[in-house]
Each structure stands twice: as structure tokens, then as C-alpha cells.
Amino acid sequence: MGLHDENLRPGARVSAVPVSKIMAEAEPVIQLKGISKHYGSVVGVDHVDLSVRNGEFLTLLGPSGCGKSTLLRMIGGFETPTGGTVHLAGEDITGLPPQRRDVNMMFQDYALFPHMSVGQNIAYGLLMKGIRGTAAQDRVREALRLVGLEDKIDQRPHQLSGGQRQRIALARAIVREPKVLLLDEPLSALDAKLREQMQVELKHMQERLGITFIMVTHDQSEALVMSDRIVVMQAGNIAQDGTPEDLYERPASPYVANFIGTTNFLSAKLLSQEGTLAVVEVAGQKITISNAPVHLTGNTLQIGVRPEKARIVADGSAPGDNLLRGRVKENIYLGLGLRTVTELADGSLISTDTMLPRGIASHKHARPGDEVVISLEPHNIFLFEAGS
Amino acid sequence: MNAVAMTPPRAGKARSTRWIADGAFMTFVCALMAFLYLPIAVLIVFSFNDSRTLTWPLSGFTLDWYVKLFSNTALLEALGNSLYVASCATVLTLMVGIPAAIALDRHQFPGKAVFRRLLLLPIALPGIVTGISMLNMFRIFGFGLSLETVILGHATALLAVVVTQIFARLQRVPKSYGEASSDLGANGLQTFWYVTLPNIKTAIIGAGLLSFVLSFDEIPVTFFLTGRDNTLPMYIYSTMRRGITPEINAIGTLIVLASALLILASVLVLRDRSQRS
């Protein structure tokens, strides 16, 4: 039941990927080999290997202190690795200073020079390349046209809004036509509404320019919206590396499942396993999982269920398998949907989300105190070893 | 009218208390201003008084003291020496102080904390100590005392002032400016010239003006380090032993005027920048 969904192999994208992008995937534009950064005894980045394909939008995702910014800054040349090498288009650039690397960075605070006009800011990178005069002017205008701010050429950065400054910073970083653009939390200074709009805009810009983007963020929804590939980092290491779909639907660890989206974690006991088919006991109920890891070592396990993939069903209407019984504790109105928190027999809590396509008034839902049955689909359950 | 009628009696009392408080505050401010500026006003007024003695009431208006001033070659020479010393000391201290401030702000190196304290120490050292110790040093190395040794002394004493001012400004310039500059292809020198310098320009002007003024009226260090030449404060001090003459009031007035012009110039420079940026 439902196994056909899992036949989608990892990497087979649901969304349309431009053909050119797939063609260019052969040669890595950035290659990190065993790269480390230690500050005395503190480990910032610990022996990371990573290849970035040409034209890819890659996101380094993780909480603060996980090493994602350090990794980005080592690619940009602002930090010297204590071990390992950085290759750009096959060339070892580990020892080169930032000004001799064909990559550009968009800074978190944009770092626009306040004493220069917008035009001078953008021309700066060209001037340093020895491009000046009308050739430089044309390229500055072209970059401004790309970000839709041609009329701001003579203004000062402080006269612009946050969103405009962000675009100018982008224009300044791309005017040198770098092989790779590094973006350090590019949208964190914007308010929520503008941030959502700029996520899509940056993504479109990247597709149009065909430049490889490597972005750092701690915002998982931003990463999901924008990236071709996400590298989730944990304490200086790569926790998982995959497409947004991979990470959301097949998280490798509870850390990833917890960091990307919302996940209910319930403790489970292994009853039997046959290949990827596992039967576990959760809160006194038998639960079948169709895509379990093959080599489970312990008996004490953890299952993870996304709230939107668990359904409250009428008792007796569903087949007898994969049902959890409990009592509704509370309903949380999310606007888009309704989150119902249910307490199971063993006292653990599970959240289920229901969409509200016709609004809450016309939706029949269980009230706090009601006995309910929650149905889980075997292919929509993550199974992790406890402590992993 | 209505509002007044509705004001409870207590509010009226509060208003009169407030009026008294305001009055007391204004009186205090006026007294403070008088304390600061009355002596200068007296100096200016007496520089135009036609009596040799500084006594009230004023006897008549004259420009004689200014005429005398400009025929007093010793005084003019002292003024020239002071301008020379202050200019050179300012340039020298900026040349050493700017790189030192940048080193403190941008770079990590062993002994940085010690370096910083050593740089800032002279600000707490009395001029007399700087003067005596540099005198000893120059003697040991066999330097003859001259205006140039005064310049070295002033530059040393002022270094702490310059470094403090510029370092404070550098701390407010985001590190990302320098990183963005090198990211965009600039080497260290280009980054300094095109990005760092414009952003600390006003602090440099301010520190320069301050150094100039401090050096211009410096006595203790000058006293120990000068040879046969006199600077203006030294000259004034030496003539003062024979009593304050209206001539000294005249030179004082001219210095006040020059200072006012300097302040005006710096205000104009700073305003110009804030409008453009």
C-alpha cells in the first residue's frame, strides 16, 4: 500500500529543472576536500567534503554555530582553513586571498560603502579589475537593470529601503560575473513579507544568470523555497545533503527531521523486520513501516511523523492497521489549517494537521476530550534508532 | 479657556513649581556660560583699550596694541615657531597614529594588548614626565635641542589622543566594508585608500585639529625640549613675568579668532560630508 510513491528515486525532481542545469552538473565548480577550521580546541568545521555543481543553488542550513558561515567564509577566502583544500573550477585556491578568487560574496549587512553612490558601489569591483569609463558604465547599468533599480544610480545607500539595498548588494556582487556567488543570510535583515517575495526573486535571478549560488541560512523554509540542494549542518559536520524533497521526506536523522519542518517523535519498540518492512509497537499499537532502514541494531527506536501526514479518522472506517488511539488535548488554529494535539495511551503527544479549505466554521473536527483514532500510512513514517 | 477652567488646582501649583525650576536651571546655565566666556570677553575688550593698565573703566578705543604686536619681531617669530611646531607635530602624529589605530582595530598580533596600553599610556603621563624623559634621551643620543626635538616631543605626547580618536571611529566602521572591498578585488592598500580612509576622514580631521590646538598651546614638554627658539606660549609666559600687557591681550584675541575660524571650518567640512552621504 502506497509503495509506488517510494519508487520515486532520490534525485528525481518533482519540480521542473532546466535542462541546461542538468547538463552542467558534470563538473564541480567548487570542491571542498577534508576542509576543517579549528579555533584552538574549538571545532568550527570538521573535515567536510563537498562538491558544488555548476549552476546549482546550494544552501548551507543549520542553527547558529553549526559551522555553515565559517564554511562559506572559507570559500570566499575570509577564513583560512586549518586543514583541507578548496578548489574552484579545478584550481586549488586554498591559499589565495579574497581579491584573487573568482567568487563574490553578498554580505549579511550588505556592506554597501556609505560614502559612494549606488553607481560607484557597483563600479568598484570593475574599477579593481581595471574596467572603467563607458565599458564600466554599461555594465553598471546592466546590473542595475537586472535588479530593477536603474533610477537609483546616483543615490546613496542610506537613501534606499532595506529591500533596495539588498538588490544593490546583489548587483554589486554579480557585476564582476563571478563563477560562484556566496550569500551570507541574504534576507535576514528584511521583514517577513519582503523576505518571502525576495526568496522567489533571488531564485529566479539565479536561474536567469546561471551563476552558482551558495547560500547560508538558518531559515528552513527559505532553504526549501530557494534551493536545488540543501546541506544540513550539525556541529561542524554535514548531517545530510540532498534535494529539498529528500530532506523533507527522507530525513536521515531526527536532527534533520526536527530542523526541517515539524515532526512528531514517538518512542517505538521493534517487533519484527523483513528488509525495509518493519513492524514496531507504539503506545501499545502495532505500526507497520514500509521504508525502514535495513540494518536496525537496537530494539529501542523512534518514529517520526509529519503532522500533515497523520490523519484523524472515524473509528472503524479505516483498516485495522497503523492506528493510534488517544484523547484530544487541544486544537490550535493555524489559519491555513487546524492542528489537533492528541494524547496517546502512554501519555505521549502527537499533532495532526488538517487543512481548512472551506474555513473552520464548516469544518467538523474533534473537540478536546473526544476519543479519536489517528491513522498513519506505512510509507509516511520515519524510523530512527534511538539516540541517532 | 475651557481647558484652563478644567485644570485642577494642583496642576496650577505644579506649573509654578516648574516655572521656578526652569528659572533656576536657566540661571545656572547663564552662570556657567559666564564662567566659561567672561574671561575671554574681558581679554578681547582690553585688547582694544587705550590704557597700559588693565583697570576698569575703559578709557578709550585703540588699535595700537595690534600695531605694536605686528612690529614685535620676537613675538612674531614665536608665533611662526608655534605654527611650525604644531603643523609638523600634527602631521607626524597622524602619520604614526593612523596605522597604529588600524593595526589595533583590524589585526590580531602577539602582544597586542601591551602595544595598545603602551600607545595610550602617554595620555595619562604628565607632560613634565614626557619632557624630562625625552630630554634625557636626546642628551644621551647627543641630539641638540631645537624646534625639531619639540616636534618629536609633541608628536609623542599627542599620539595617544590621535590613536584613541581614530580607533574609536574604526570600531564603528563595520568589518564587512573591508571584506567587501577585498571581495571585489581590492588589495590592502586600495581598501585603505578607497574604503577605510573615506569612512574615518572626519575622525582624522577632528584628531588633527585637536592635536594642532593642543600642540599650539603646549608648555611643559616644550619647556624641556626647546633650544634657543621660543614658541608662542613660552614667549607669552616669559613676558608675563613683567606683567600682563595689552599686547598679550591682542595676541590672545587673535588666537581666539583663529580658533573660531578653525572650528567653523571643521563644522563646514563635517556638515558637507553628512549632506553628501
Side-chain angles (χ1 to χ4, degrees), chain A residues 10-11 13 50 53 56-59 223-224 227-232 238-248 250 256 260:
Chain A
R13 298 286 307 268
L50 182 66
R53 291 184 290 271
E56 194 173 27
F57 196 131
L58 181 98
T59 298
L224 288 177
S227 323
D228 295 325
R229 186 153 68 104
I230 300 174
V231 173
V232 181
I238 294 178
Q240 196 176 354
D241 172 356
T243 63
E245 290 90 336
D246 284 337
L247 299 187
Y248 194 83
R250 289 170 292 278
V256 176
I260 295 182

Side-chain angles (χ1 to χ4, degrees), chain A residues 73 78 98-99 103-105 107 109 111-116 124-125 128 156 158 172 176, chain B residues 174 176-177 179-188 190-191 194-195 198-199 273 276-277:
Chain A
R73 290 173 59 81
F78 304 108
Q99 65 264 30
V103 302
N104 281 118
M105 172 113 136
F107 291 83
D109 62 356
L112 295 174
F113 306 134
H115 58 289
M116 295 182 192
Y124 189 81
M128 293 303 135
R156 297 263 163 175
H158 77 100
R172 187 177 69 173
R176 282 166 64 92
Chain B
S176 60
Y177 288 2
E179 289 183 349
S181 174
S182 56
D183 185 63
L184 293 167
N187 61 33
Q190 288 167 321
T191 296
Y194 292 117
V195 176
N199 279 298
R273 185 186 181 275
R276 277 189 291 118
S277 67

Side-chain angles (χ1 to χ4, degrees), chain B residues 3-265:
Chain B
V4 173
M6 283 169 66
T7 314
R10 275 194 57 212
K13 194 176 168 196
R15 210 161 44 203
S16 66
T17 320
R18 166 133 204 196
W19 190 84
I20 293 169
D22 280 356
F25 180 68
M26 282 314 289
T27 313
F28 172 72
V29 170
C30 290
L32 182 68
M33 288 298 144
F35 181 73
L36 285 176
Y37 290 106
L38 204 56
I40 295 175
V42 168
L43 173 103
I44 294 171
V45 167
F46 276 105
S47 76
F48 294 108
N49 189 23
D50 69 357
S51 159
R52 267 216 84 81
T53 55
L54 303 179
T55 51
W56 207 257
L58 301 169
S59 44
F61 179 84
T62 181
L63 287 176
D64 276 2
W65 308 121
Y66 289 89
V67 176
K68 268 201 153 160
L69 179 78
F70 283 105
S71 54
N72 182 341
T73 48
L75 187 147
L76 288 179
E77 196 188 328
L79 177 67
N81 288 342
S82 269
L83 291 175
Y84 169 68
V85 167
S87 310
C88 291
T90 300
V91 170
L92 188 62
T93 191
L94 285 177
M95 273 167 52
V96 180
I98 296 170
I102 289 174
L104 279 179
D105 178 57
R106 299 284 131 125
H107 301 290
Q108 291 300 331
F109 48 89
K112 180 173 167 175
V114 177
F115 178 65
R116 183 174 174 192
R117 294 209 171 85
L118 284 177
L119 269 179
L120 300 187
L121 185 64
I123 213 169
L125 274 186
I128 248 179
V129 176
T130 312
I132 295 176
S133 44
M134 290 200 78
L135 177 63
N136 280 332
M137 189 189 78
F138 290 138
R139 281 273 162 76
I140 290 167
F141 288 108
F143 278 35
L145 295 182
S146 62
L147 288 179
E148 285 70 30
T149 52
V150 177
I151 290 170
L152 286 177
H154 283 190
T156 311
L158 292 172
L159 193 60
V161 174
V162 167
V163 171
T164 323
Q165 295 254 320
I166 294 171
F167 179 69
R169 172 64 58 86
L170 279 169
Q171 291 273 291
R172 283 174 29 216
V173 177
K175 302 270 178 289
S176 60
Y177 288 2
E179 289 183 349
S181 174
S182 56
D183 185 63
L184 293 167
N187 61 33
L189 206 61
Q190 288 167 321
T191 296
F192 172 74
W193 188 254
Y194 292 117
V195 176
T196 312
L197 204 55
N199 279 298
I200 60 171
K201 193 176 72 186
T202 53
I204 292 174
I205 292 172
L209 284 176
L210 189 60
S211 302
F212 187 88
V213 170
L214 288 177
S215 164
F216 192 80
D217 72 358
E218 214 281 341
I219 289 187
V221 174
T222 318
F223 182 79
F224 288 101
L225 297 183
T226 192
R228 282 175 29 249
D229 302 295
N230 253 343
T231 60
L232 189 61
M234 297 278 289
Y235 174 82
I236 293 174
Y237 180 71
S238 62
T239 58
M240 287 255 294
R241 273 176 290 189
R242 283 170 271 139
I244 299 179
T245 64
E247 215 174 331
I248 289 175
N249 288 336
I251 185 79
T253 304
L254 289 180
I255 292 173
V256 169
L257 184 72
S259 309
L261 287 177
L262 268 184
I263 290 166
L264 190 71

